[in-house]
Amino acid sequence: GYTQKEVLNWFWNVSTKALEKKPVDMVVATHFCKGNFKGNPLFHGFYDSVAPVIAEIPYDAFFVEYDDARSGSFEPWKVLRNKDAVFVAGLISTKNPVLEDHDELKARYNEAKKIVGDQIALSPQCGFASCAIGNKLTEEEQWAKLKLVKEIAEEVWGE
């Protein structure tokens, strides 16, 4: 019975209140999980309507899922461009074993960077085991994905 605007306003109020007296040296990040039960997403939709509100909460980092088309463009996060918060682009899927293409991944990272600015990092879109059963990836496949994160990070931060 609540509207999206009411829920976002409640979330903003509660989160902002919870963070108002945090110690200066405490880093607080948030993760926007769209679901990852045994490799299956629970939520779909773009960040267009939530990013402008969520970006006003004093988080130090925003871990955001962008491993497939269900997330849309990076454009909604341009509101972070002149803030100290880090945009953590979750470009690598933990839901399936297919290893992302190196060059496409790097291009996607650079696309995000053009929009959000230099305060950007790279990560998998979510954890490898969001439930006790985990996802349909072997340990070897998980390590390969983490290796890819490291390779891309070294390249783009070395530029």
Side-chain angles (χ1 to χ4, degrees):
Y2 297 102
T3 67
Q4 181 185 35
K5 186 176 180 178
E6 289 172 320
V7 172
L8 279 172
N9 187 45
W10 173 83
F11 184 75
W12 183 89
N13 284 326
V14 169
S15 299
T16 301
K17 185 74 173 166
L19 296 172
E20 71 183 8
K21 293 183 182 179
K22 78 174 180 96
V24 177
D25 61 346
M26 178 186 282
V27 175
V28 178
T30 189
H31 167 58
F32 291 90
C33 188
K34 291 187 173 195
N36 200 10
F37 181 70
K38 294 195 279 183
N40 299 304
L42 298 175
F43 305 104
H44 297 277
F46 302 152
Y47 295 106
D48 301 53
S49 61
V50 297
V53 175
I54 302 301
E56 292 301 318
I57 299 171
Y59 291 120
D60 299 298
F62 296 82
F63 285 76
V64 187
E65 295 186 5
Y66 272 93
D67 61 317
D68 59 25
R70 71 190 167 123
S71 298
S73 78
F74 298 111
E75 195 66 27
W77 296 102
K78 68 184 174 194
V79 295
L80 294 177
R81 187 165 188 80
N82 296 317
K83 295 183 182 261
D84 288 332
V86 177
F87 178 82
V88 185
L91 301 177
I92 296 170
S93 178
T94 62
K95 295 185 294 295
N96 67 64
V98 176
L99 195 61
E100 290 78 1
D101 178 85
H102 180 278
D103 293 335
E104 288 176 19
L105 191 59
K106 188 174 175 182
R108 192 92 166 107
Y109 175 90
N110 286 323
E111 176 188 343
K113 185 177 179 177
K114 285 179 187 173
I115 293 169
V116 302
D118 292 334
Q119 292 286 92
I120 184 170
L122 175 65
S123 76
Q125 60 41 264
C126 199
F128 285 105
S130 300
C131 61
I133 299 168
N135 292 333
K136 300 170 186 172
L137 279 80
T138 66
E139 186 175 340
E140 182 178 283
E141 291 164 337
Q142 292 173 42
W143 282 114
K145 290 197 177 244
L146 291 175
K147 181 181 177 198
L148 183 59
V149 171
K150 182 178 183 283
E151 289 171 2
I152 299 294
E154 287 173 343
E155 288 180 32
V156 295
W157 293 335
E159 294 176 347

